[in-house]
Amino acid sequence: MTVDVNTAFAQAKAEQIEPMHAEARAFQERIDRGEIRPLGGDRYEVLTGWDAGETFIVQRSTEGRIEQILAQHGLDTTTGGAALYTTTPAWHGLGAVIPGGISDIDEVLKLARIDWEVSKRRVLYEWDDGVRVAADRYVTVRTDSGEALGTVGGRYEVFQNRRVFEFLQDLVQRYDAIWESAGALRGGRKTFVTMRIPRSIVIDRGGLDDEIILYLAAINSHDGTSQAESVVTPWRIACGNTERFASQDAVHRWGIRHTKGGLSSLELARRTLGLTLNYAKTFEAEENQLVRTDLLIDDFHELVDSLWPVDDDATDRTKAFIRGRHDQLDGMFREQARKLGRTAYAAERTVTDFLDHRTQVVPRNLSEDLTRAQRTLEGTHDDLKTKAHRQLLSLAR
């Protein structure tokens, strides 16, 4: 069985958006549960699940009834179409889909609608005696539309879209690689390109055959707000959400400053990538240990209790919530055990699935408290996953 987060995300989107169109009440119910918060006007933000951070636009009738809910993909549409090339159809159904993919950079640039360049222009401002030039300040401008993307300093080096493709080719020393996806976000302020790493992680080869596919992606900023970066990630970037997920879930991240030598440190980058591939081998070996380790249901309960300890002075309401969470995790583990066997690997998959897709925040109100709570929650997930992995690995050893 191949574990592909991209397929799971697309399925989740289809399962989520279509029922919203069929029954508008579901949207309000998600707001009531604290899964979605209003941003003002007709915009809403999702707080949990695969699409946490995504925004929706809600179109209402004159009577206030929800008529249409539109997911915001974040892709650039400056040229009249979505700036996306991909080998696999995305959840939003946009972009140029080329099954099997292509290796020619210029063709991908054209299909992805990012065959434009960026130039630096002096910042001018009006003053009493006319127009003046701001010292050492420049505007980055798209050469096809003239749109201003951001403001930068004199030492800022523009990384052209084509150069980023060449950087990835030089990095892996392959010039026939198939490009998985490419495109632009937020009016061209960000661009991305993704290629698949030849070696994937296979867990329990010949048995479960769970394959985790990894991609090498480069994310470039043209607005001066962030450095460029290369990431090794399980995500194939195809929208604003997956760009965010690719960075959040990166196995490896290597930042690239917008300077003249920023794309030249290939040996350091290759060395870091090599460490990443070694990490993948280590991770695969550890996961295979978990597959071979039987786990009693009591051991799983102890793991849950250690991940979410109960304070001695917890209120009855809190204790009831914890019991509900405990029962939910117990049911999820038993379901995983039916498919994967009652093993430490099934326990880890249960905890990961719960943290990624089942955790909810129910705030006191839908304002700053919710945003603060959600940020705190997101910051602890990786720690909990790591803690669970280490504890289960100690049992395996």
Side-chain angles (χ1 to χ4, degrees):
M1 178 177 66
T2 299
V3 180
D4 187 348
V5 292
N6 305 281
T7 300
F9 175 68
Q11 291 174 347
K13 293 298 300 179
E15 293 170 0
Q16 177 193 80
I17 294 177
E18 290 306 317
M20 284 183 176
H21 286 288
E23 186 178 3
R25 287 197 307 273
F27 196 77
Q28 185 59 50
E29 289 170 0
R30 295 191 74 196
I31 295 175
D32 295 339
R33 291 197 301 267
E35 298 176 13
I36 297 175
R37 72 174 179 121
L39 297 175
D42 57 2
R43 297 179 65 247
Y44 292 79
E45 180 185 13
V46 180
L47 299 171
T48 62
W50 284 106
D51 51 358
E54 181 183 353
T55 59
F56 286 85
I57 291 179
V58 176
Q59 296 180 350
R60 299 178 182 271
S61 66
T62 54
E63 294 81 16
R65 292 192 304 271
I66 295 177
E67 291 188 333
Q68 193 172 19
I69 301 169
L70 304 173
Q72 302 301 288
H73 46 72
L75 294 168
D76 173 38
T77 57
T78 301
T79 60
L84 174 67
Y85 150 88
T86 177
T87 60
T88 306
W91 63 268
H92 43 62
L94 301 174
V97 181
I98 309 297
I102 52 181
S103 59
D104 184 82
I105 293 177
D106 292 317
E107 191 174 354
V108 173
L109 286 168
K110 184 176 180 180
L111 289 169
R113 296 175 181 262
I114 54 173
D115 53 342
W116 39 265
E117 294 192 341
V118 175
S119 64
K120 284 168 55 177
R121 302 297 176 92
R122 290 277 190 180
V123 172
L124 307 178
Y125 64 96
E126 294 182 350
W127 193 244
D128 292 342
D129 58 353
V131 177
R132 295 187 180 185
V133 179
D136 200 40
R137 302 304 298 168
Y138 296 82
V139 177
T140 52
V141 179
R142 283 181 59 155
T143 57
D144 64 334
S145 65
E147 182 178 355
L149 302 177
T151 306
V152 299
R155 297 179 62 188
Y156 179 93
E157 187 75 12
V158 172
F159 295 159
Q160 303 296 352
N161 296 331
R162 194 182 202 286
R163 180 68 185 89
V164 174
F165 279 76
E166 294 169 345
F167 167 75
L168 287 188
Q169 284 185 329
D170 292 341
L171 186 61
V172 299
Q173 295 179 307
R174 286 190 59 183
Y175 301 92
D176 60 348
I178 297 297
W179 302 106
E180 288 286 337
S181 69
L185 304 166
R186 298 193 296 113
R189 289 168 180 80
K190 271 192 176 181
T191 58
F192 59 86
V193 57
T194 310
M195 67 166 57
R196 180 171 173 172
I197 291 179
R199 186 186 187 280
S200 56
I201 298 172
V202 180
I203 299 168
D204 193 23
R205 191 181 297 273
L208 297 175
D209 275 332
D210 273 0
E211 181 182 20
I212 301 175
I213 301 169
L214 293 176
Y215 298 91
L216 175 62
I219 304 169
N220 186 26
S221 166
H222 285 307
D223 61 3
T225 60
S226 62
Q227 62 182 359
E229 63 178 359
S230 62
V231 296
V232 175
T233 176
W235 288 99
R236 180 196 304 108
I237 305 176
C239 64
N241 292 318
T242 45
E243 181 269 329
R244 185 173 64 255
F245 299 158
S247 185
Q248 289 176 352
D249 295 345
V251 174
H252 151 73
R253 177 182 292 104
W254 188 61
I256 311 168
R257 296 181 61 189
H258 281 267
T259 61
K260 287 188 176 181
L263 295 176
S264 302
S265 303
L266 289 171
E267 287 306 315
L268 176 61
R270 288 193 194 107
R271 194 156 55 246
T272 306
L273 177 59
L275 293 174
T276 299
L277 295 179
N278 288 335
Y279 161 81
K281 294 178 184 177
T282 301
F283 179 75
E284 180 178 307
E286 291 177 351
E287 292 298 287
N288 281 312
Q289 278 189 289
L290 298 185
V291 169
R292 295 190 294 268
T293 303
D294 294 332
L295 195 72
L296 298 174
I297 191 68
D298 288 344
D299 292 329
F300 178 72
H301 290 167
E302 289 182 10
L303 172 68
V304 171
D305 292 340
S306 68
L307 294 176
W308 292 280
V310 184
D311 294 333
D312 294 335
D313 59 349
T315 64
D316 291 340
R317 183 178 179 182
T318 298
K319 290 178 181 178
F321 172 79
I322 291 171
R323 284 195 299 272
R325 178 176 59 199
H326 190 281
D327 292 343
Q328 184 180 13
L329 282 160
D330 178 87
M332 291 174 64
F333 175 63
R334 293 177 189 273
E335 178 63 27
Q336 287 281 12
R338 279 194 287 271
K339 296 182 291 184
L340 306 174
R342 190 168 288 184
T343 63
Y345 179 63
E348 183 179 53
R349 287 278 294 270
T350 298
V351 171
T352 300
D353 183 55
F354 178 80
L355 290 172
D356 285 344
H357 314 306
R358 305 295 181 90
T359 308
Q360 299 178 8
V361 177
V362 182
R364 290 186 296 274
N365 57 66
L366 292 172
S367 60
E368 294 180 358
D369 285 340
L370 180 54
T371 303
R372 187 162 52 248
Q374 182 65 18
R375 286 174 181 169
T376 301
L377 176 66
E378 289 173 349
T380 61
H381 279 189
D382 287 344
D383 291 341
L384 286 174
K385 291 175 186 177
T386 299
K387 184 177 180 181
H389 179 75
R390 288 175 178 170
Q391 286 189 213
L392 290 168
L393 199 60
S394 67
L395 291 175
R397 290 170 174 168

